[in-house]
Amino acid sequence: MVGDIIRNLQDIHYPKDLYDIYVIADNCSDRTAEISRELGAIARERNHKLQIGKGYGIEWFLDQLWKLEGEGKVYDAVAIFDADNLVIHNFLQQVNSKIDQGHEVIQAYLDSKNPNDTWITKSYAFSYWAASRIYQTARENIGLSAQLGGTGMIFSGEILKEMGWGAKSLTEDLEFTVKYIVEKGRKVAWLHTAKIYDEKPLKMKQSYVQRIRWMKGHFYCAFRYAKPLIHKIVKAKGSRWIALDVLIYLFQPALFVLALSGLALLGLSVFEPLPLWVPKYVHNSYIWLSVLIPFYLLPIIGLLLENQWKRVWWFLYLYIFSCTWIPIVAYSIFKRNEKTWSHTQHTRSMDNKEFMQEGGF
């Protein structure tokens, strides 16, 4: 699978002498490093049985990269991808333009490489398309911060040297986003037209493993960085709204209120008549529809704006899929301090040619 992304990056429209392809073979027991070198990439092998996880691997690699400056190799920026990714041909051209505008940390558009495989991949694809338009693009347009997504992340060399990496939680992308806002008071830029195609899990078991890791890391960051974010909101006028927005994202009060109130309403619906202590308006359908319709309509609007109108009906899959988040969120809040890295199994290999036949790029 790593061969697909290496060949893909070698084929992009950018001067070949202006970028290098590195592969971090982190605790690998297969031929990842060997295959990477055969294809012309530079493989760096790391074996550490205690410090396991993507965040540790990135920090180790960056230390190796900066040591190369003594040999005359100096990099202006670092782009991070997963082994199962593919990128569009003008990716680096667009990234270069965004960096020239003064941005230090950038997130590219995260798209799905295999949206049609199963109902689960359709659910993932729908949610990513909607989030890219409704969440990421909207925040870019009003001056708030995008969220780093784990892959398709671009960093200027200067900011990485200045801050260090330091993001070693189960969601190193979210942690670096928050650290950057807390320490620098600046936003992560969103690059909507530079697309990364990422493989989504095919089965529910794979998805559960991935999402439990995500949510453990999410709530770890929420509780760890709540205090410095609140301090930023109170003290730092210039970045107050950026800090407030990411704090709201970390705790997601709207989602909690809707989920808990929905469960409460379901429970109360078994009573007929209602107990005297329950206000009568809880069974007023107009009140609930006024809340729920905009909430569920926004993702559909996002899909329409992304020219995915033929797939709007996938919302039915997404609704079922969203219900599976409830036990994951409940479990992860209490297990947020666990840092055991769980690898998401990927089995769907797709190279440039096959991806183009599927309608990509």
Side-chain angles (χ1 to χ4, degrees):
M1 185 175 291
V2 71
D4 295 335
I5 178 67
I6 292 173
R7 284 185 284 265
N8 172 242
L9 291 172
Q10 290 171 337
D11 197 37
I12 61 177
H13 302 158
Y14 203 75
K16 299 299 181 282
D17 59 334
L18 295 183
Y19 71 98
D20 293 316
I21 302 170
Y22 286 86
V23 174
I24 308 173
D26 188 28
N27 288 304
C28 289
S29 57
D30 54 17
R31 297 181 61 245
T32 295
E34 183 181 347
I35 292 171
S36 301
R37 294 183 181 115
E38 289 174 355
L39 293 174
I42 305 168
R44 294 284 190 247
E45 297 181 75
R46 173 182 179 268
N47 290 285
H48 199 297
K49 301 307 177 186
L50 298 177
Q51 296 179 349
I52 299 174
K54 188 174 178 180
Y56 288 108
I58 292 173
E59 183 163 76
W60 171 85
F61 170 73
L62 291 175
D63 288 340
Q64 302 295 310
L65 197 65
W66 308 142
K67 291 176 183 177
L68 295 177
E69 292 189 356
E71 304 173 13
K73 270 193 174 294
V74 180
Y75 294 97
D76 296 326
V78 175
I80 297 177
F81 310 101
D82 287 342
D84 57 271
N85 294 162
L86 296 174
V87 308
I88 61 173
H89 293 307
N90 65 346
F91 181 85
L92 286 183
Q93 293 172 338
Q94 295 194 56
V95 166
N96 189 64
S97 296
K98 198 76 171 176
I99 291 175
D100 285 345
Q101 295 171 18
H103 297 289
E104 302 167 317
V105 184
I106 304 165
Q107 176 60 52
Y109 188 118
L110 269 175
D111 207 334
S112 177
K113 188 171 71 172
N114 58 326
N116 299 304
D117 284 356
T118 68
W119 76 272
I120 294 173
T121 62
K122 290 174 181 177
S123 302
Y124 270 98
F126 192 113
S127 64
Y128 272 71
W129 291 327
S132 293
R133 173 64 67 166
I134 299 300
Y135 183 88
Q136 302 278 40
T137 304
R139 279 161 173 76
E140 172 73 10
N141 290 341
I142 62 176
L144 297 177
S145 180
Q147 298 294 330
L148 291 173
T151 184
M153 306 182 293
I154 303 97
F155 309 87
S156 72
E158 289 184 7
I159 198 64
L160 286 174
K161 292 174 195 172
E162 187 178 336
M163 286 182 57
W165 181 251
K168 301 170 186 173
S169 68
L170 295 180
T171 47
E172 77 295 328
D173 47 359
L174 176 59
E175 186 173 7
F176 193 93
T177 300
V178 181
K179 274 169 51 67
Y180 181 59
I181 291 170
V182 168
E183 294 182 22
K184 299 300 176 183
R186 296 190 284 269
K187 70 168 191 171
V188 174
W190 172 248
L191 186 50
H192 193 77
T193 53
K195 288 193 175 184
I196 297 289
Y197 293 89
D198 183 52
E199 181 193 320
K200 307 307 179 190
L202 303 177
K203 299 179 180 179
M204 184 56 71
K205 183 178 179 180
Q206 296 169 275
S207 175
Y208 258 107
V209 170
Q210 182 184 66
R211 289 184 289 150
I212 286 173
R213 171 168 58 83
W214 285 353
M215 294 315 297
K216 283 181 181 178
H218 185 107
F219 288 116
Y220 169 81
C221 290
F223 284 90
R224 178 180 177 182
Y225 290 100
K227 185 176 179 179
L229 281 169
I230 292 171
H231 183 268
K232 198 82 174 177
I233 294 166
V234 174
K235 299 291 185 180
K237 294 182 180 180
S239 56
R240 176 174 295 163
W241 296 112
I242 295 175
L244 176 61
D245 181 61
V246 78
L247 181 65
I248 292 172
Y249 171 77
L250 287 173
F251 286 97
Q252 302 184 38
L255 292 179
F256 276 103
V257 169
L258 283 171
L260 293 175
S261 59
L263 289 173
L265 184 65
L266 179 64
L268 290 171
S269 66
V270 303
F271 294 102
E272 189 60 47
L274 284 174
L276 294 177
W277 52 270
V278 178
K280 292 183 178 181
Y281 63 78
V282 299
H283 269 193
N284 189 317
S285 59
Y286 293 105
I287 292 176
W288 285 98
L289 286 173
S290 68
V291 174
L292 294 176
I293 287 177
F295 182 76
Y296 289 115
L297 192 59
L298 277 175
I300 294 175
I301 294 173
L303 235 66
L304 295 175
L305 292 173
E306 289 298 291
N307 296 317
Q308 296 286 354
W309 58 273
K310 290 183 178 179
R311 290 161 164 167
V312 166
W313 68 275
W314 288 6
F315 180 78
L316 299 175
Y317 294 127
L318 180 63
Y319 183 81
I320 298 170
F321 186 74
S322 65
C323 294
T324 68
W325 277 100
I326 296 173
I328 291 173
V329 170
Y331 174 81
S332 300
I333 290 176
F334 296 102
K335 297 293 185 178
R336 64 183 182 272
N337 291 320
E338 292 184 359
K339 294 186 178 181
T340 303
W341 179 266
S342 54
H343 177 70
T344 303
Q345 184 181 9
H346 292 288
T347 57
R348 184 69 158 91
S349 179
M350 187 182 294
D351 58 18
N352 279 6
K353 184 177 179 180
E354 182 182 359
F355 186 64
M356 291 178 70
Q357 290 173 345
E358 292 281 335
F361 296 147

